[in-house]
Amino acid sequence: MSGFFSPFITKPVSVSQIMLHVLLALIPGIALYVWFFGPAILVSLTLASITALGVEALMLKIQNKQIAPTLKDNTALLTAWLLALSIPPLAPWWLVVVGTAFAISISKHLYGGLGNNPFNPAMIGYAVLIISFPVHMTHWLTPHGLGDVSLSFLEQLNYIFQGVLPDGIKLDAITMATPLDTLKTQLHLNGHVQEILDMPIYGRLAGQGSEWVAAGFLLGGVYLIAQRIISWHIPLAYLGTLFAVAGLFHLIDPAHYVTPVFHLFSGAAMLGAFFILTDPVTSPTTPRGRLIFAASAALLTYLIRAFGGFPDGMAFATLLMNICVPLIDAYTQPKVFGKKKGQS
Amino acid sequence: MLNALLAMAAIAILLGAVLGYAAIKFRVEGNPLVDKIDAVLPQTQCGQCGFPGCKPYATAIAEGVADINLCPPGGDEGIHKLADLLGMEYKPFGGATQPKPKSVAIIDESNCIGCTLCIQACPVDAIVGAAKQMHTIIASECTGCELCVPPCPVDCISMVPIEESIANWKWKYPVYALTASK
Amino acid sequence: MRTLYQFHGGIHPPTNKTQSNHTPIKQASLPSKLVIPLHQHVGSSAKPIVEAGQRVLKGELIGAPDGHLSSAVHAPTSGTISAIDMQIVAHPSGIPDLCITLIPDGLDEWIHREPCDDWCALSHTELRHRLRQAGVVGLGGAVFPSDVKLYSHKHKIKTLVLNGAECEPYITCDDLLMRERATEILQGAQIMRALLYAEEVLIGIEDNKPEAIAAMRAAVTEGCHERMEVVAVPTIYPGGGAKQLIRVLTGIEVAAGVRSTNLGVQCFNVATAYSAWRAIGHSEPLISRIVTITGNVGHPQNFEALIGTPMDELVAQAQPLPGTTGYIMGGPMMGVLMPSMQVGVIKATNCIIAAAKNLFPAPAPALPCIRCTRCAEVCPSELQPQELYWFSKAKNLDKAEDYHLFDCIECGACSYVCPSNIPLVQYYRFAKSEIWAQEASQKAADAARERHEFRESRIEREKREKAEKLAAKEKAAIEARALRAETPQAVVSSARPDADPENTMQLKIQLAIDHAKEQAAAIKPKNTEQLTPQQLAEIADIEARRARVREIAKDVTHIDGHS
Ligand code: SF4
Ligand code: SF4
Ligand code: SF4
C-alpha cells in the first residue's frame, strides 16, 4: 500500500533526478573549460565534490537525520560544482575545501538544511572566499596559447596541493586577471574600451576562452529549459536586463562602457543566469516574482561591475536578491482560480 | 557633520510628529485588549484559572497580574493564541488543574431530585428544569465547565468526554518518516 | 465547433481505464446482507423509520430525510431488518456510524410504484419533492442532495452542464452508463433543465471515451433534443472536476464559496441525471448504482450494485487476485482507503480499486520542499501549493487561509508531481479540518459568552428588581409608619425577608434528598406484580410520606417563589 492517503499514485521526477539534470547541463561548459584552460578545474571539482558529500554526511549525522536520502539528492554535489566553477582552478586545495565546507555546513545546514537556506550556498562560499582570501581568488589560468609558458597537469597538481611551481616559472607567468578584472583596471588607468579590448586576452565577444565556456553554460541552460527543469523566467529576465542596461550605458558612452554582449559572455553571467539564480530554494516561486528577482539581480550585477569595487557582481547580486525573496513572493502572489479581475 | 546631525534631528522630529498624530488619530476607545483576550478564551466560565470567569481572567491578563497559561479548557492551543495576541513567549501549562478532553455534563435523570441547585451554578443556562421536576442538560450548550457537579446534593451529574464521531472527526497532522519504508 | 476554454495546470496520469471498460455493466448478485448507512449524503442524517425485525420491500423508505438539507434512504431489496446500530462505514476515519442492516429474502419484491409518463404535468415543487423522497443525490462523489441544487428562478441559469468527463484514472462507471443508458440520462437531463429553466445543456465527455461520446450524440439526435450538445473535452486530470469542466465548457470560473448558479451555470453528474429519471419516470428510488471494480482483480468490470452491498462480496464477483492489501473507494488520485473490506457500498461509491503493492508501490521517502514550483504549475486552482504546505505544516492556519487554502479542491495533482514526495494534500486536509474545528469551537465560545452575559444581566436585573421591590416596600412601610406612627416591629421583620427562605431552602433540599434515597431504596425492578402484604404496606407508607413531603415542598416553593 502506498501510504494511506490519496493520491495513491505519483509520478515525480525526484529531487536527485532534477539535480542530476542540472549537473549534466553543466558538462558542456566544463568540457570547454578543460579545453581552453586545461584539466586543473577537474581537480577542484573533485575536491569540492568530496568535501561537500563528506560535510553533508557529517552535518546530517550531527543533527541525527537520515543520511542516505539527503545525500543521494545531489544537491550538495551541485553546490560543490557551482562553487568550484566560480573560483580559480589553480587555487590551493584548501581554498576549495574551506569554501565548500563553509557553503554546506554554515549556509545550508545551519539554516535548516535542504529547502530552508535563504542564501545560495555556493555564492555564500564564494563570497566568504573572496573576502577572506582575495589574493588567491585572482589566480586565474591563462587560456592555452596565450601565456608564455604552460604547466603540465602534474605540475598543476603539484601547485594546487603543495604550492610548488617548477623552477624558473613565476606565478604571474601562468595566471592572469579575469577579463572583467583587466577591463576594470585598465579603465581606471584611463584606457579606452576599444584599446583595451584589443589586448590579447580578449576574444571575439568577451574574454579569450572564457567566452566559449560561457557559451557552453548557455547551451546547458537551454537544455534545462527545454527539459522543463527550470522555467525561462529567470534566465531571460536576467540576461535581458543585463543586456538592456549594459546596452544603454554603451550607447551613451562607448568609450567607457563595453558592449552588452561582452557583459553577457564574461564573468559569471551565463552560469548565474541558468544555474545560480535559478536555484529553486533561494529564488521566488511566482512567475512575476521571478522576473522581478532576476531583473533586479541583473541591475545589481551591472552596477557592481561598472561602478563597484569588485570585478564581477554576480555573487553579491545573487545574495542581495536572495534576501528579498520572501518579500517578492509575498507581493507577487498570483490571483487564484475564479478570483481574477473581471470575475466576481 | 553639523548638517548630518541637523538632518537626523529633523527626521526624528518629523517621524515623532507622525507617530504622535497617528496615536491620536487612530486611538481606540475603551479597553479593547480585555475584549480581545476574552475573545480567545473558551468561555466555559469554569473558574479553573482561579478567576470567577473568563472575563475576569482576561482583565487580569490585560493588567499583567495573571499568567497566560492558566486556562485548562483552552489547552495548549489557547496558550499559543494568547501568546501570539500579546506578543509573549509560549509557556507550558502552569495552572493547578490539567487540560482534560472536552466533555459535557449528563444528569442521571432517575436520581435527579429537582433541587435547581445545578441550574443556579450553570454559567450558560445549559440546564433546563424547574423545582421538583427532573432536570436535563442541553448538551449542545454545555461548555463542560463542571460547575454543576459539586452543588448536586445527590451526585447525579457526571462529565462524559465527547466522543469522536464522523461529524467531528478531523484529519490528523500527517506523520511520515524520512526513511525508506520497505 | 464550440470554442473550449482551458484551465491552468493539470496532469496526465496513466488512465488505466481499458481494463474495465470492455465488458458491459453486469448485475451484481444479491449479497448475503446489506449494510446501509443513514448518512450517505451532505447534510443531516436520515432518520430511521423502521425497526429491527421488520420486513421491508424493495424500494421502501427506511430512512426519512431530516431537515432541509438531507436525503432519503431506501431498502435496496426486500427482506428483514436485522439491526439498526453503529457499524463501520465507507469513511476514512473508520468511526462507526448509524446503519441499517438488511437481510435479503431473495424475493426482490418491489413496493408499489407509480411510474409517471408525463412529468411535465407535475409542478416543480412536486418534482423536487419526489427527488428528495427518492434519495437522489449527486453521484459524482459529492453526494449533495439534488433537489436542493435543482432550484432556480427563471432566466437565472443559462447552462446546465452534465459531467461525463470522468477524469480520474481507473474509473469507468460513467463511461459504461453513457454507452448503455444514454437515452435515460438525457431524459433525466430534460427534467433537470426544466427545473432550472436552463436554456442549454452541455454534456462534457473527455475525448478518451469515443464510444460514450458516440452513444450520447446518437441519443441526442434520436431524442430530437433542442439546444443540447455533447462536447468532447480534452483528456486532462482534473478536467472532470465540476469547476474545471464548467470552465472548459463555458469559460466561467467558479471560485470557492461562490454558487455556480449565481454565475448562470449548474453542473450534475451523468449518473445523477440517470437516477433522477429513474426516480421520476419509473418511481424507483436510488437503491443501486454502477460501481467499477478494478485493480488487483482478474476480471475488472462494472457492476450495478445495491447500496449497502459489502465491498468484499462485490469484489469477489470480479475474480480477486491474491495480494490485495485494501480497497480504495474512488480513484487513485482522490479516493480514500477503506477502513475495512466489509463496509457497504454507498451512493458515493463510483469505484472500488483492490490495492496491491505492485499497483501502488510505497512512495519514496519525503524530502523537504525545494520550492521547485512544479506543484504550482499543475494546480488547477492556480494556488501556490508550496506556500500552503509551508503554512499548514507550521500550523499557521490563518496564513494558509490567506493563501486560499479553501480554494484547493484536493485533486492531488500537486502531490503527484512533487519531486520531494511530500503528501501535500494530506497537509491541506489536516489544515482544513483544523480550521473547521476551530471555527466550531469559536462559535461555541461566542454562544457561551452570549448566554453567560445574558445570564449575568438577568441576575443583575432580578437583583435590581428585588431591591426596587424592597425599597418600595420599605417606602410603603415608612409611609405607613408615618401615617400611623406605631408598630415599628413590622418594619424590622419586613426588612429581612430572605432570612427564612434560605433556611427553608435547605430544609427543602434535605427533604428531597431523603425522598430520593427512599425512592432509590424502593426501586424493585420488574417484580412489582407479586408483592407480599408487607411490601404493600411499605409502599403505602412511602406513598404517604411522599404526599407529606409534597405538601411541605409546596409550601417551600411558595416561599421560594417570593424570595
Ligand atoms: S451543564 Fe454543568 S458542565 Fe455544562 S455548562 Fe452548565 S454548569 Fe457547566
Ligand atoms: S490538491 Fe489543491 S493545491 Fe494541490 S493541485 Fe489540487 S487544487 Fe491545487
Ligand atoms: S512540488 Fe513539492 S518540492 Fe516542488 S515546490 Fe511543490 S511542494 Fe515543494
Side-chain angles (χ1 to χ4, degrees), chain B residues 105 118 121-124 126-127 137 141-149 159:
Chain B
C118 56
C122 179
V124 293
I127 306 180
I137 288 169
E141 305 292 354
C142 172
T143 63
C145 70
E146 305 190 359
L147 287 182
C148 52
V149 178
M159 304 300 298

Side-chain angles (χ1 to χ4, degrees), chain C residues 18-252:
Chain C
T18 45
Q19 292 95 319
S20 55
N21 69 3
H22 289 314
T23 17
I25 300 172
K26 192 176 162 195
Q27 203 67 38
S29 59
L30 205 59
S32 64
K33 67 168 185 182
L34 295 160
V35 182
I36 309 143
L38 283 158
H39 194 195
Q40 301 186 35
H41 46 263
V42 172
S44 39
S45 270
K47 260 198 322 238
I49 56 162
V50 286
E51 281 165 16
Q54 183 179 337
R55 177 164 194 268
V56 290
L57 295 175
K58 181 174 184 153
E60 189 172 333
L61 191 69
I62 55 176
D66 187 18
H68 174 63
L69 192 63
S70 183
S71 193
V73 176
H74 301 80
T77 184
S78 62
T80 318
I81 307 286
S82 71
I84 302 174
D85 57 2
M86 304 298 270
Q87 303 237 13
I88 292 185
V89 294
H91 187 270
S93 66
I95 297 172
D97 202 14
L98 194 59
C99 293
I100 294 179
T101 308
L102 173 70
I103 306 293
D105 57 12
L107 302 174
D108 215 21
E109 187 183 338
W110 265 105
I111 197 169
H112 174 67
R113 280 170 293 168
E114 283 166 10
C116 166
D117 298 326
D118 183 21
W119 55 265
C120 294
L122 297 174
S123 74
H124 284 190
T125 320
E126 173 64 18
L127 282 173
R128 270 192 291 273
H129 179 71
R130 288 195 184 186
L131 288 174
R132 173 178 157 98
Q133 287 302 321
V136 178
V137 296
L139 294 181
V143 283
F144 198 89
S146 299
D147 56 296
V148 183
K149 266 175 85 182
L150 281 168
Y151 183 81
S152 171
H153 298 294
K154 261 182 200 159
H155 310 305
K156 236 188 112 200
I157 291 189
K158 180 168 172 271
T159 313
L160 166 64
V161 170
L162 273 205
N163 188 345
E166 202 165 53
C167 61
E168 269 250 19
Y170 285 96
I171 311 179
T172 56
C173 60
D174 290 345
D175 184 5
L176 267 287
L177 186 79
M178 289 186 288
R179 290 191 205 180
E180 298 184 12
R181 304 178 193 177
T183 317
E184 295 184 274
I185 294 172
L186 297 187
Q187 272 162 325
Q190 286 292 28
I191 298 174
M192 291 175 158
R193 180 200 324 222
L195 282 171
L196 291 170
Y197 303 99
E199 289 166 29
E200 56 171 358
V201 181
L202 297 180
I203 305 164
I205 306 175
E206 281 195 347
D207 53 17
N208 61 355
K209 293 181 258 300
E211 296 93 343
I213 295 174
M216 292 291 278
R217 286 213 169 119
V220 171
T221 323
E222 191 188 311
C224 300
H225 294 294
E226 294 272 307
R227 301 207 59 185
M228 189 182 267
E229 192 184 332
V230 177
V231 188
V233 297
T235 302
I236 184 169
Y237 179 86
K243 291 173 194 293
Q244 280 65 41
L245 187 65
I246 290 175
R247 162 78 190 160
V248 168
L249 290 176
T250 66
I252 295 170

